[in-house]
Amino acid sequence: MSVSRLHPPATTPTTAAGTRRTGRRRLLEQLRADGVRYLFGDPGAGEEWLPAEIAGFPDIDYVLGLQEAAVVCTADGYARATGRPSVVLLHGGAGLGNAVGGLGHALHRRTPMLVLTAEPGGTYDDLVDMARPVTKHADRVTRPENLLPLVRRALKVAATPPRGPVFLAVPTDVLDQVADEAVMPTSVPDTRVVPEPAAIQAAARLLATAHAPVVLAGDGVAASGAVGELTRFAETWGAVVHGVMASELLMPWNHPLWGGPAEHGTDLTTHADAVLIVGARMLPEVADSTLRPGGTVVQVDLDPDAMAENHPVTAGMLGDPRLTLRALTAAFGEAMTEPQRQAAAERVRRRGALRAAELDKVLTDDLGAGLEADSAPLRMPAVAAALAGLLPDDAIVVDEALTSSPALNRWLPPTRPGHFFQNPGGTLGVGIPGAIGARIAHPERTVVGFTSDGGAMHTCQALWTAAHHGVAAKFVVCHHVYEPRVDYVHLAAAMGVPASRVRHAADLSGVLRTMLDHDGPYLVEAVLDEPGAGSTDR
């Protein structure tokens, strides 16, 4: 197994003569050595040293937030958009408590993140125990000579698949002491392994006989860069692909074999005679399974804990999704008979015809529901269709529209990796901060974050961060009106972000152009009239 540097090593200036090499300075030197450009936080008394110390590190910017859940979700958006660990500095137990929901989201999404908390010296709380359920790993520094090795270990664990947030409690008395450990870039192991050929061939033979195959895929596919490999595998096998709690693009959404996200409680696999699970944790909170009794189940993952977690597996293979899917597709050349290949091709043809008919019907229904009626009550298809004609090709969409997401993704179907991030459920409040994090990662690109009215209220403090730092992300609040009505235009203005409200399709183009043309953050409140829609879905 080879190792690689976390980031290209940065040049580390020599410490000025007479400068005391305290733990806090060495911490920043270590982050710089690992190419960390941003430190996300909401400081308290335990971080009163930070402004003066970070002033000596002009290559590290401090992204200031007003509430820790919003801070963590901003860092989550940055990490997802870059594929590299983000670094968060929280304030003690109160800060960690506020961040727990965001950390839980990051854990389920397998987001690489280092979360540091400056503990008051000598008053060690149970912060590690508090963080452990919502992180991949949690630890505490107790000696100054262990500070940098533990920071490097935390970064390594966060960046090693299956990736995830890592918590490290750092007492202030440790930060105040001299730390002479050497600064060096963190090394991350290369885990791109593939099962041995015999295992690949055996799995291919199991899958080749399927008449009703299904693929259940998760964010491990995106982390592996396996979108192309998954698409080719599904085409070869003739299988519909569903995303399991997936927050990134796994397959172009306009591909006929894309079956969409697997919704809670939906029946997707009871009629499948063969299922491939790849890069996904199946039913992590449910003890039973809807998999067909006696059906073939093959699972591929780099996480051994995800294997057969709450479901039977015929064959489980520890492997990188990209390399393993590529090998399985190649193995079908020998494993599939000519009639099986023809049957797979026919399944693809039938699925393509079905998808085309379904899409034509739903788009026709969208139009009939008032998309073209300028004075009619506003519906989400009108918003999505108008924006589809205005966004540049390289735009990034962060989708937390929830009940409005189906219409959004019909008119703005995600097709390229790195251009689409979604909240698949489990928490709320990632839309606004996620868009801010993505825009910090890619300041040259248009980033639009969609959120529900409920999601917007969870982390609206992030709007202040966008205004304070001049992060030109754009936001659309899909507002299904409840009483008393929240005024998102004035709420955004109170945070320093200009905003507009739109109620009719006739006004959409002008309002959306104003949003996209504005040199800075901007929010649009889309007041929607959609029967049955709500804002509290999780």
Side-chain angles (χ1 to χ4, degrees):
M1 181 178 291
S2 62
V3 298
S4 61
R5 298 303 189 192
L6 186 60
H7 302 295
T11 301
T12 304
T14 303
T15 303
T19 301
R20 191 163 176 262
R21 301 164 70 90
T22 60
R24 53 181 180 259
R25 167 167 281 274
R26 302 293 275 166
L27 171 63
L28 293 174
E29 289 176 354
Q30 179 62 55
L31 297 181
R32 177 167 57 192
D34 281 319
V36 174
R37 281 283 294 111
Y38 298 96
L39 180 59
F40 300 85
D42 176 16
E47 297 77 43
E48 59 188 6
W49 55 269
L50 185 61
E53 204 70 69
I54 204 170
F57 294 80
D59 45 353
I60 300 178
D61 291 335
Y62 185 68
V63 180
L64 178 62
L66 299 182
Q67 204 271 354
E68 289 81 3
V71 167
V72 168
C73 289
T74 303
D76 178 88
Y78 176 83
R80 292 209 153 271
T82 61
R84 301 192 299 267
S86 54
V87 181
V88 178
L89 180 59
L90 300 176
H91 173 63
L96 177 59
N98 286 338
V100 162
L103 289 175
H105 169 82
L107 177 64
H108 286 298
R109 303 287 74 72
R110 295 178 171 179
T111 300
M113 184 185 299
L114 169 59
V115 180
L116 303 165
T117 293
E119 285 184 305
T123 60
Y124 298 169
D125 297 323
D126 294 330
L127 299 188
V128 174
D129 290 337
M130 186 188 304
R132 190 170 284 121
V134 291
T135 55
K136 181 181 176 183
H137 177 73
D139 207 344
R140 171 182 284 110
V141 181
T142 57
R143 299 164 61 90
E145 60 267 30
N146 292 339
L147 173 62
L148 299 191
L150 285 176
V151 169
R152 288 191 291 269
R153 180 193 295 177
L155 285 167
K156 179 201 71 173
V157 172
T160 301
R163 305 179 304 180
V166 173
F167 175 80
L168 188 62
V170 186
T172 53
D173 55 348
V174 171
L175 290 171
D176 289 341
Q177 295 181 57
V178 173
D180 288 326
E181 282 293 315
V183 171
M184 63 187 71
T186 298
S187 296
V188 179
D190 184 348
T191 61
R192 290 187 175 276
V193 296
V194 64
E196 62 179 358
I200 292 290
Q201 290 290 341
R205 288 193 295 270
L206 283 171
L207 298 174
T209 60
H211 298 283
V214 169
V215 177
L216 300 176
D219 280 332
V221 170
S224 175
V227 171
E229 283 73 12
L230 176 60
T231 302
R232 285 186 286 275
F233 173 86
E235 292 169 345
T236 303
W237 198 28
V240 176
V241 178
H242 293 280
V244 178
M245 293 297 287
S247 60
E248 298 189 42
L249 181 84
L250 308 180
M251 186 178 190
W253 284 42
N254 56 4
H255 193 286
L257 292 177
W258 174 246
E263 303 290 345
H264 293 294
T266 52
D267 182 4
L268 298 175
T269 58
T270 53
H271 300 294
D273 56 354
V275 177
L276 175 71
I277 304 170
V278 55
R281 298 191 71 170
M282 278 289 294
L283 310 170
E285 298 170 351
V286 181
D288 61 350
S289 172
T290 59
L291 298 173
R292 174 176 170 177
T296 296
V297 179
V298 174
Q299 186 167 8
V300 175
D301 209 297
L302 277 171
D303 183 3
D305 290 340
M307 207 75 65
E309 186 174 22
N310 290 301
H311 55 88
V313 165
T314 311
M317 297 188 292
L318 195 68
D320 173 70
R322 182 179 182 183
L323 298 180
T324 306
L325 285 168
R326 185 183 298 167
L328 281 171
T329 303
F332 274 150
E334 180 179 330
M336 295 180 79
T337 65
E338 183 58 30
Q340 287 169 344
R341 278 190 284 271
Q342 291 177 359
E346 177 61 18
R347 289 194 293 270
V348 175
R349 187 198 66 77
R350 289 200 309 267
R351 174 69 181 178
L354 177 64
R355 277 291 304 276
E358 289 176 344
L359 184 60
D360 181 68
K361 180 181 185 304
V362 75
L363 292 180
T364 300
D365 290 345
D366 283 347
L367 294 171
L371 188 152
E372 294 180 324
D374 288 345
S375 61
L378 191 60
R379 303 288 175 89
M380 189 61 194
V383 178
L387 196 55
L390 298 173
L391 284 180
D393 291 339
D394 67 345
I396 296 174
V397 170
V398 179
D399 172 22
E400 193 187 33
L402 300 178
T403 52
S404 296
S405 290
L408 173 64
N409 294 314
R410 283 197 297 273
W411 291 92
L412 277 168
T415 59
R416 291 190 290 172
H419 291 69
F420 172 74
F421 304 95
Q422 185 179 43
N423 180 5
T427 189
L428 284 177
V430 302
I432 289 174
I436 295 169
R439 174 69 186 201
I440 292 173
H442 297 288
E444 76 288 356
R445 292 166 65 177
T446 299
V447 179
V448 182
F450 290 84
T451 185
S452 66
D453 36 15
M457 291 304 297
H458 277 241
T459 50
C460 59
Q461 304 93 334
L463 292 170
W464 182 91
T465 296
H468 179 70
H469 292 285
V471 181
K474 316 302 179 184
F475 314 100
V476 177
V477 177
C478 305
H479 190 183
H480 307 95
V481 180
Y482 295 92
E483 295 298 336
R485 183 177 66 84
V486 177
D487 190 329
Y488 292 97
V489 172
H490 283 87
L491 178 62
M495 299 286 180
V497 175
S500 298
R501 180 178 296 111
V502 60
R503 295 179 179 275
H504 301 288
D507 304 320
L508 271 172
S509 181
V511 169
L512 294 177
R513 285 184 184 276
T514 298
M515 176 185 76
L516 295 174
D517 291 343
H518 181 71
D519 185 20
Y522 197 97
L523 182 143
V524 168
E525 177 188 345
V527 181
L528 303 178
D529 180 10
E530 295 178 330
S535 63
T536 58
D537 293 21
R538 297 183 184 225

